[in-house]
Amino acid sequence: MQCVVLFLVAGALAAVSAQPGSGNTTKPHIIFIVADDLGWNDVGWHNPDVKTPVLDQLAHDGVILNQTYVNYVCTPSRTAFMTGYFPYHVGMQHGAMLPEQPAGVPSKFTFLPEELKELGYSTHVVGKWHLGFCNWNYTPTYRGFDSFYGFYNGQDDYYKHTVLGGLDLRDDKEVVKTKDGEYSTYFFTDRIVDIIEKNPLGLPLFLYLPFQNVHEPLQVPKRFEDMYSNVQNENRRIFLGMVSAMDEAIGNVTMAMKKAGLWDNTLLIFTADNGGWPLFSGNNFPLRGGKITLWEGGTRASAFVHGKMLQKTGYTSDEMIHAVDWFPTILAAAGGTADPGMDGVSQLDTLVSGQPSPRTEFVYNIDDDFPTKQGAIRVGDYKLIEGYAGKPDGWIRPDNLTESQPDSGDPITGTWLFNLKDDPTEHHNLADTMPDKLKEMQGKLEDYRKTIVPAIWPKNDPKGNPKHWDGAWSPGWC
């Protein structure tokens, strides 16, 4: 299938790369943006009350992806992005990695930038890592990135750049101590622009931009919060300001690409890493649930693609895509071919020319460890959840909570079967009324479960505490 994909899109990519202003490369520049904890209802193309003019324009000029799925929380999704494997095949399925856990994505898994470097790319990551740091071999510049500017853990104070009492900000391997009081989104954007302007070899760029926004803590310069003076709820007002701050930053990145003459040969991919977290004012209405749940609100991402190489644009695609597919898709766009044993499949033909997705099913997650013992799959239009589905599990509106139903009344664990084509908001459990379909889906889930890799979830190790490392979260203790 991947050979067919490459053949179909080769003409489009070659035509774009030959245009004036495309740079000195025949390969496209690739920008892969991941928005942290961004909800379904937290973008302008789903909710006109959200001020994201840059993202809206990019989405409407490209292809809005209406059936793109991620994992329910940070580390598993980032594992899928970087490895092309479902987290339950890597050992990263149990949750978001904790700061003092002596763990990381096993080194036997090749990361996407390692493959891209073999194809001649200059590879850079700016923002959040969250794939392990207790050993240097788990860190970005040991996993294929030419440069890293960001933080290792799952969250950071946007001004102090600390978490749990330790400084967490790096420039490659060096601790950065000079940014106290500066809003991180500003200087992360400055670094991205600097990378774009100082690409002296004219190499094709791979920019992995896992934004800190809009993960808590809820912090944003006042000028962004003031854009939502009509929003009465303070936390929601700040959260929306954080969305708009990210939108402005992405606008500055695209402007830099245009000034450098690189934009016409750029493929831009934008996706959330999981659903919005209602606890911290993220919103997924009308979808059910949110971050840390297997409901659609926790796993269906706001996403789009943009680029001159897209032959069909200005529409919304309902083709099925999963986070694991971005690895082989990006690799195919760069002229490479992924390992055929990988869980991910290239969606390049789907994105470029609107062809049907090669994917017909996927695994939301499989985890055999307490307290989140769970399994969930989608096959065609049907979705099965068994075990722990997560809370909140209701339908939460962004502001007027009196009209919300934050809790469905369902138990924390159970069995649910939905037809997502007919019931995308998961109101009608068909488990009792469609026993044959339930049995079929349970059999499929058990087949998937046979290939599970035990979760890597060690106990915290106090050796990792920043007090042992001059006050900074640092590698070298596992």
Side-chain angles (χ1 to χ4, degrees):
M1 179 64 190
Q2 287 165 333
C3 292
V4 176
V5 166
L6 289 173
F7 177 78
L8 287 170
V9 302
L13 294 177
V16 170
S17 62
Q19 291 178 359
S22 63
N24 298 321
T25 174
T26 58
K27 297 179 182 292
H29 305 287
I30 301 169
I31 302 177
F32 185 27
I33 299 175
V34 177
D36 201 346
D37 289 3
L38 184 72
W40 183 261
N41 201 35
D42 294 332
V43 292
W45 65 91
H46 290 154
N47 179 355
D49 293 334
V50 182
K51 297 176 174 63
T52 50
V54 173
L55 290 171
D56 291 357
Q57 190 67 52
L58 291 169
H60 288 300
D61 288 347
V63 181
I64 295 172
L65 305 176
N66 203 40
Q67 294 283 333
T68 297
Y69 286 85
V70 288
N71 289 84
Y72 67 107
V73 74
C74 307
T75 301
S77 286
R78 293 158 203 273
T79 297
F81 295 148
M82 288 293 106
T83 68
Y85 286 88
F86 291 121
Y88 83 99
H89 281 156
V90 182
M92 291 288 116
Q93 68 269 34
H94 191 56
M97 199 175 295
L98 304 176
E100 289 188 4
Q101 282 186 307
V105 176
S107 297
K108 68 178 181 180
F109 289 94
T110 301
F111 273 26
L112 174 59
E114 296 179 77
E115 296 276 9
L116 291 173
K117 281 182 68 67
E118 292 293 319
L119 295 171
Y121 274 76
S122 179
T123 59
H124 307 271
V125 52
V126 179
K128 170 176 166 176
W129 183 237
H130 211 190
L131 291 169
F133 70 92
C134 65
N135 187 300
W136 281 112
N137 290 327
Y138 293 145
T139 61
T141 55
Y142 288 76
R143 306 216 71 157
F145 285 104
D146 292 321
S147 74
F148 167 60
Y149 192 54
F151 56 103
Y152 289 142
N153 283 295
Q155 67 181 81
D156 232 7
D157 187 285
Y158 286 77
Y159 291 97
K160 297 179 180 178
H161 321 301
T162 59
V163 62
L164 297 177
L167 180 63
D168 190 9
L169 185 60
R170 296 267 167 170
D171 189 346
D172 291 336
K173 296 173 65 174
E174 300 301 316
V175 178
V176 177
K177 299 181 179 181
T178 60
K179 295 296 183 180
D180 186 36
E182 295 185 39
Y183 192 61
S184 58
T185 306
Y186 288 165
F187 60 76
F188 285 155
T189 306
D190 289 342
R191 173 56 61 91
I192 299 165
V193 171
D194 189 61
I195 292 169
I196 294 167
E197 293 176 345
K198 297 178 179 178
N199 185 27
L201 299 179
L203 297 175
L205 289 172
F206 174 61
L207 302 179
Y208 173 47
L209 309 181
F211 271 78
Q212 183 173 2
N213 300 55
V214 287
H215 197 291
E216 52 96 8
L218 299 180
Q219 296 172 308
V220 75
K222 191 172 185 300
R223 68 182 179 93
F224 294 106
E225 181 184 349
D226 287 346
M227 293 169 63
Y228 297 93
S229 58
N230 61 313
V231 177
Q232 294 182 357
N233 182 286
E234 181 182 12
N235 284 346
R236 179 65 177 170
R237 188 168 64 244
I238 296 171
F239 178 94
L240 290 173
M242 295 167 72
V243 176
S244 292
M246 177 179 63
D247 185 76
E248 179 184 275
I250 292 170
N252 290 334
V253 171
T254 60
M255 187 182 303
M257 292 294 287
K258 292 173 182 176
K259 287 183 178 179
L262 307 178
W263 183 244
D264 285 349
N265 190 26
T266 295
L267 175 65
L268 185 147
I269 299 164
F270 177 92
T271 180
D273 67 335
N274 45 247
W277 201 351
L279 181 63
F280 294 100
S281 294
N283 193 259
N284 308 292
F285 192 81
L287 301 181
R288 183 175 182 177
K291 178 182 176 177
I292 69 172
T293 81
L294 294 176
W295 308 110
E296 294 294 283
T299 57
R300 192 169 160 192
S302 293
F304 67 84
V305 292
H306 179 281
K308 291 289 183 68
M309 67 279 294
L310 304 180
Q311 298 170 359
K312 182 182 178 183
T313 58
Y315 74 103
T316 297
S317 171
D318 285 316
E319 297 300 319
M320 184 188 296
I321 299 174
H322 189 271
V324 295
D325 297 336
W326 290 122
F327 184 123
T329 300
I330 290 171
L331 197 59
T337 304
D339 182 340
M342 184 176 286
D343 291 326
V345 294
S346 175
Q347 300 278 358
L348 193 58
D349 194 33
T350 302
L351 303 177
V352 169
S353 55
Q355 296 300 307
S357 170
R359 177 171 296 286
T360 58
E361 59 188 71
F362 64 83
V363 176
Y364 286 87
N365 198 41
I366 299 176
D367 186 1
D368 282 346
D369 286 13
F370 180 84
T372 57
K373 188 178 174 78
Q374 61 187 197
I377 59 172
R378 179 170 172 180
V379 181
D381 295 331
Y382 286 90
K383 175 179 181 178
L384 172 69
I385 304 176
E386 287 205 312
Y388 179 82
K391 293 282 185 175
D393 67 350
W395 300 267
I396 304 171
R397 293 182 182 272
D399 291 314
N400 191 348
L401 298 182
T402 59
E403 296 182 15
S404 295
Q405 187 183 348
D407 195 308
S408 71
D410 282 357
I412 295 178
T413 62
T415 298
W416 294 267
L417 178 69
F418 301 102
N419 182 326
L420 293 178
K421 183 178 181 180
D422 297 338
D423 181 25
T425 56
E426 299 173 296
H427 277 83
H428 307 293
N429 185 1
L430 305 174
D432 292 336
T433 59
M434 298 186 68
D436 291 342
K437 175 58 73 172
L438 176 63
K439 184 177 179 180
E440 174 190 328
M441 293 286 285
Q442 288 173 324
K444 175 74 76 170
L445 176 58
E446 286 310 304
D447 287 342
Y448 276 119
R449 193 183 293 275
K450 292 174 184 177
T451 61
I452 191 172
V453 171
I456 300 170
W457 195 257
K459 294 181 180 179
N460 286 347
D461 187 338
K463 292 198 299 289
N465 192 288
K467 68 182 181 182
H468 302 303
W469 302 93
D470 195 27
W473 292 100
S474 299
W477 47 277
C478 76

